[in-house]
Amino acid sequence: MSVLIFIDHIDGHIKKASLEAASYGAKIAEQTGDTAEAVLLGNPSGIAELGRQGIKKVHQVQNEALNTIDAQVYTKVLEQVVQQTGAKTIVFSNNSTGKGIAPRLAVRLKAGLVSGAVALPETSNGFVVRKNVFSGKAFAKVAVTSDVRVITLNPNAFTIIEGEGTAEVVAFNAIVDSPRIKVTGTTKTSGKVALTEADIVVSAGRGLKGPENWQMVEDLADTLGAALACSRPVADAHWRPHNEHVGQTGIAIAPNLYIAIGISGAIQHLAGVNRSKVIVVVNKDPEAPFFKAADYGIVGDAFEVVPKMIDAVKKVKGIA
Ligand SMILES: Cc1cc2nc3c(=O)[nH]c(=O)nc-3n(C[C@H](O)[C@H](O)[C@H](O)COP(=O)(O)OP(=O)(O)OC[C@H]3O[C@@H](n4cnc5c(N)ncnc54)[C@H](O)[C@@H]3O)c2cc1C
């Protein structure tokens, strides 16, 4: 039997979140004595290199109709791959693509679905998965009792395995439905680093007073190679574009480092960022709620602290 991992890609490259899912799926296969196989729709670079994450075989489906992500069409293709491989555990990243496909596939397979897994399952007695609940405020242990299970793994919850090996790549001839919707145009967001894939995120809020003050935030992000984010009021006031808005009603992220500048730390903001590995808060108010969620806090005026942070990072990186 196999554990099947869905591999997602963008601009010809496999997404970091999918490398995490591949590593996670391969570890589950190791635990259960199964084989780790992957399914990939399209033709990005580095397919055989998935062997480094422990994938033995990749089922590659190539069809023009799959060039645009369509959850309904993708689901039916994946169902065919599951049926042919006999996979009992199917793993997705809990990113926007995974969130769109996994529940649909679970319904079609009559499988139990666990979304937002954060650790390897306990498989010694049943199949029990730990997941985030209540916007990351608590964990739940979910026992999956169905024969087939679909799991989505939270981005940044599992370290990518960088082992050795090459995966066998086999073409899979799937029946591909005509999409019921047609994407007539896409507009790319302008950020230099994609927010959901970023290792480091520099974020700022209303404490910055106005859009004219964002240059120092951008400079800090550039120096760190980070993506930019903001609080909701900042996007609502059109100081920054809405695709940078993080939180309960914005994008949920889990970078390794989240730097929050002039953001109070309201519960709705925290809901989207509290899975970050390390949180650094810069706020002039020592009572700001964000300090309770912070790993490191700097009480001070952002207009004095941020330029010093830029200088310090430049010094460490040896940039003049
Ligand atoms: C249903 C609902 C959904 C929501 N969803 C979201 C969401 O997804 N994301 C989100 O962000 N918000 C969301 N909100 C809004 C949220 O409740 C807060 O109002 C918002 O997060 C506050 O943004 P802020 O921290 O930038 O601004 P403020 O609350 O105004 O805080 C500004 C902070 O900057 C500090 N500051 C001021 N000047 C300086 C300075 N010079 N140097 C350093 N610090 C300074 C202040 O001490 C303060 O802590 C939602 C609200 C509701 C009701």
Side-chain angles (χ1 to χ4, degrees), residues 205-207 209 231-233 245-250 262-266 268-269 282-285 288 300-303:
R206 216 151 38 179
K209 318 286 185 222
S231 66
R232 176 172 160 171
H245 152 203
V246 288
Q248 182 187 313
T249 46
I263 301 176
S264 57
Q268 297 88 355
H269 184 86
V282 180
N283 199 302
K284 70 174 185 186
D285 175 8
D301 188 328
F303 297 93

Side-chain angles (χ1 to χ4, degrees), residues 34 65 92 120 158 161 259 262:
D34 294 322
F92 291 82
L120 283 170
F158 199 79
I161 297 166
I259 303 177

Side-chain angles (χ1 to χ4, degrees), residues 92-110:
F92 291 82
S93 169
N94 196 30
N95 60 10
S96 54
T97 315
K99 282 177 186 168
I101 305 168
R104 288 183 161 91
L105 185 65
V107 169
R108 296 189 78 88
L109 299 173
K110 295 189 171 49

Side-chain angles (χ1 to χ4, degrees), residues 202-218 229-231 234 239-240 260-264 282-284 301-303 306-307:
V202 176
S203 185
R206 216 151 38 179
L208 266 280
K209 318 286 185 222
E212 65 282 3
N213 294 324
W214 243 260
Q215 189 58 53
M216 66 175 184
V217 182
E218 288 181 21
C230 68
S231 66
V234 161
W239 294 1
R240 297 298 299 174
I261 303 160
I263 301 176
S264 57
V282 180
N283 199 302
K284 70 174 185 186
D301 188 328
F303 297 93
V306 174

Side-chain angles (χ1 to χ4, degrees), residues 27-147:
K27 276 285 168 199
I28 296 179
E30 213 175 286
Q31 265 178 230
T32 54
D34 294 322
T35 315
E37 299 186 13
V39 52
L40 188 147
L41 317 188
N43 193 22
S45 61
I47 304 178
E49 279 90 326
L50 285 165
R52 296 186 60 199
Q53 279 73 52
I55 302 295
K56 301 290 177 224
K57 190 191 262 189
V58 182
H59 303 273
Q60 183 182 24
V61 188
Q62 293 200 71
N63 187 309
E64 287 262 308
L66 299 170
N67 289 348
T68 312
I69 296 176
D70 181 314
Q72 288 175 319
V73 177
Y74 274 36
T75 302
K76 284 197 179 170
V77 170
L78 294 187
E79 187 185 14
Q80 295 167 51
V81 181
V82 173
Q83 274 161 358
Q84 188 176 303
T85 56
K88 295 285 183 210
T89 306
I90 301 105
V91 176
F92 291 82
S93 169
N94 196 30
N95 60 10
S96 54
T97 315
K99 282 177 186 168
I101 305 168
R104 288 183 161 91
L105 185 65
V107 169
R108 296 189 78 88
L109 299 173
K110 295 189 171 49
L113 169 72
V114 183
S115 50
V118 293
L120 283 170
E122 291 163 21
T123 50
S124 51
N125 184 17
F127 199 100
V128 180
V129 189
R130 193 171 143 99
K131 63 168 277 181
N132 269 139
V133 288
F134 303 127
S135 300
K137 280 207 185 57
F139 294 110
K141 277 186 166 184
V142 182
V144 190
T145 54
S146 55
D147 190 31

